[in-house]
Amino acid sequence: MRKLTEEELTLIQKSIIRKEISATELLGEIHDHYVTHLETLPVSDFHAELSLLDQKWTQDYCKQLQRDLQNSINKSIRSLQWQLAKSYFSWPRMIFTSILVVLIATLINLLAWDFQLIVLLIPLVFLIALGIIISVRTHRKNKAIKKLFNFKNSGIFILSFQSSNFISHVIWPVHSLNLFILAPRIWGMHDVVAVYIINMICILFGAYLILHSLTIFEAWKIKSKTSLI
Amino acid sequence: MSNNNLIKGSLQTIILKLLEENERMYGYEITQRVKELTEGEIKITEGALYPALHKLEAEGLLSTEIQQVDNRVRKYYSLTKDGQKEVTSKMSELQGFVENLQRILTPDLKPGFNI
């Protein structure tokens, strides 16, 4: 076992950058694999072994690995959220939730449109805040990996796939609000659809948003203990 | 001898078993440990190992821990509680399979033979 020289480390870095990987989860792992393997070999074997490693870790293989990683992260977040949602719906909680929904449904008819929006805005503000927290924490946790590589002028934007998946789960309800609630109002559809229907949609969507916010928060708490987010 | 197909079917079990014995391991270490235990007869390729590790992690059977080692970051894998349960089930599944395979290959062998 020997310590690699700066020149050798730069060659490894350049070789990995050529693969155009953007997931920090993979970059760190591949870099460690290269360095650990090359450290065990004498200086004379360095170039030949680096070339052999490049033949194994081809750009196509790395891209495929990245795609698979993206899919499995997405799948694991969704299944974790589903498990958490299922665990929430025990009988006493279901009764409590039903009472809460009925209460909100009664109250919301007494409120003006602006107040009805607040019902939806509370979980949305929570989700946006969670998105910001995830971004800041990911930036901090990924600093060490970003430092390993010089991506300037490479055109590659590196990011944590775990984090970007979480953020997309956090952000899409905001787009849903625009699409289903605000846009119809802009187009004047609220004059066509009866107010009580809009209220019911608000309540159902709000209940869904609360469940989504709570489960995504719990999922993030679990995942953040063991990953780069 | 090319035994890639045989290894492919039992790769997850190999990973889980190694992690049960070693608490936590990183990717390169797993490939080397398998090579060492089988005296070079079985070589796990990177092409098979990392997708399997990521899949097991996504299924919640493995957890990961990032640690700064010298001038780089290292990703350690370890078993979760579900992963520990899965090792037992995968091992008995594999042992049952090997036992049945033995019966086919050597029909004279008495039932209940354990490898």
Side-chain angles (χ1 to χ4, degrees):
Chain A
M1 182 94 102
R2 68 184 180 91
K3 208 168 162 52
L4 298 179
T5 64
E6 279 302 314
E7 194 193 331
E8 287 171 329
L9 286 170
T10 310
L11 283 172
I12 295 172
Q13 189 200 86
K14 281 182 181 168
S15 166
I16 295 172
I17 289 176
R18 273 198 296 274
K19 299 176 201 314
E20 294 180 9
I21 303 163
S22 49
T24 49
E25 287 88 352
L26 272 186
L27 279 168
E29 201 160 34
I30 296 174
H31 181 262
D32 183 45
H33 189 101
Y34 267 61
V35 176
T36 312
H37 178 66
L38 294 166
E39 272 179 348
T40 60
L41 302 163
V43 184
S44 55
D45 291 348
F46 179 83
H47 291 282
E49 279 297 325
L50 181 62
S51 157
L52 274 176
L53 280 173
D54 278 340
Q55 283 168 31
K56 287 181 192 169
W57 296 88
T58 60
Q59 196 188 62
D60 284 346
Y61 166 64
C62 289
K63 292 253 163 138
Q64 183 59 46
L65 202 59
Q66 195 165 256
R67 273 194 296 272
D68 291 345
L69 182 72
Q70 169 82 323
N71 290 338
S72 51
I73 288 174
N74 196 17
K75 214 169 130 187
S76 75
I77 295 173
R78 269 188 284 133
S79 80
L80 186 58
Q81 249 194 303
W82 179 238
Q83 274 173 27
L84 291 164
K86 276 198 294 188
S87 70
Y88 175 78
F89 283 104
S90 56
W91 275 111
R93 278 175 177 170
M94 266 174 85
I95 294 166
F96 171 75
T97 312
S98 312
I99 293 169
L100 198 69
V101 170
V102 171
L103 204 68
I104 294 169
T106 317
L107 281 175
I108 207 160
N109 277 320
L110 304 172
L111 300 172
W113 170 252
D114 292 346
F115 287 102
Q116 289 160 8
L117 261 184
I118 290 170
V119 173
L120 297 176
L121 281 178
I122 292 167
L124 285 175
V125 169
F126 174 79
L127 284 174
I128 291 166
L130 181 61
I132 294 167
I133 293 168
I134 293 174
S135 306
V136 172
R137 279 181 58 122
T138 306
H139 177 71
R140 235 185 277 158
K141 283 193 173 185
N142 284 265
K143 250 184 186 171
I145 294 173
K146 285 180 180 171
K147 262 187 194 171
L148 288 174
F149 300 94
N150 180 12
F151 278 99
K152 274 177 195 164
N153 305 322
S154 68
I156 303 165
F157 179 70
I158 63 163
L159 73 163
S160 158
F161 275 22
Q162 190 81 251
S163 164
S164 64
N165 268 282
F166 262 101
I167 288 173
S168 67
H169 277 74
V170 161
I171 292 301
W172 77 258
V174 181
H175 299 313
S176 315
L177 176 85
N178 290 330
L179 190 67
F180 296 113
I181 310 293
L182 298 180
R185 281 185 62 81
I186 292 164
W187 297 327
M189 279 184 70
H190 62 292
D191 294 334
V192 183
V193 182
V195 176
Y196 77 93
I197 294 177
I198 294 178
N199 288 349
M200 275 321 290
I201 293 171
C202 281
I203 292 159
L204 291 174
F205 190 59
Y208 171 73
L209 270 184
I210 291 166
L211 184 66
H212 177 74
S213 314
L214 293 175
T215 52
I216 198 73
F217 177 64
E218 285 299 323
W220 170 71
K221 273 203 317 194
I222 293 168
K223 290 276 179 188
S224 66
K225 284 178 191 158
T226 57
S227 54
L228 290 166
I229 54 168
Chain B
M1 187 182 80
S2 169
N3 50 18
N4 282 350
N5 286 336
L6 294 175
I7 297 164
K8 212 176 169 184
S10 38
L11 182 58
Q12 289 198 353
T13 316
I14 295 172
I15 295 170
L16 293 172
K17 183 67 187 162
L18 283 175
L19 287 170
E20 188 191 41
E21 284 165 3
N22 293 278
E23 201 176 332
R24 67 172 201 172
M25 294 177 96
Y26 53 94
Y28 186 78
E29 190 182 12
I30 294 173
T31 60
Q32 295 309 297
R33 187 80 184 120
V34 171
K35 209 165 136 184
E36 187 188 307
L37 286 171
T38 62
E39 292 169 346
E41 281 294 312
I42 294 179
K43 283 176 191 158
I44 296 182
T45 61
E46 296 80 357
L49 177 71
Y50 289 98
L53 284 170
H54 297 158
K55 193 166 178 282
L56 288 168
E57 187 191 353
E59 284 170 3
L61 300 176
L62 300 185
S63 66
T64 55
E65 189 188 333
I66 306 288
Q67 204 173 305
Q68 187 102 24
V69 177
D70 298 328
N71 50 358
R72 59 189 184 271
V73 284
R74 179 162 284 167
K75 191 176 178 182
Y76 283 100
Y77 293 88
S78 50
L79 291 178
T80 59
K81 277 183 189 163
D82 286 345
Q84 281 162 1
K85 283 180 209 157
E86 190 70 9
V87 185
T88 322
S89 125
K90 287 252 184 201
M91 282 306 292
S92 63
E93 193 182 301
L94 186 65
Q95 269 166 351
F97 176 75
V98 173
E99 201 174 308
N100 287 326
L101 198 65
Q102 276 289 350
R103 284 185 192 142
I104 296 166
L105 298 174
T106 49
D108 296 338
L109 206 68
K110 284 178 189 171
F113 172 83
N114 286 317
I115 306 294

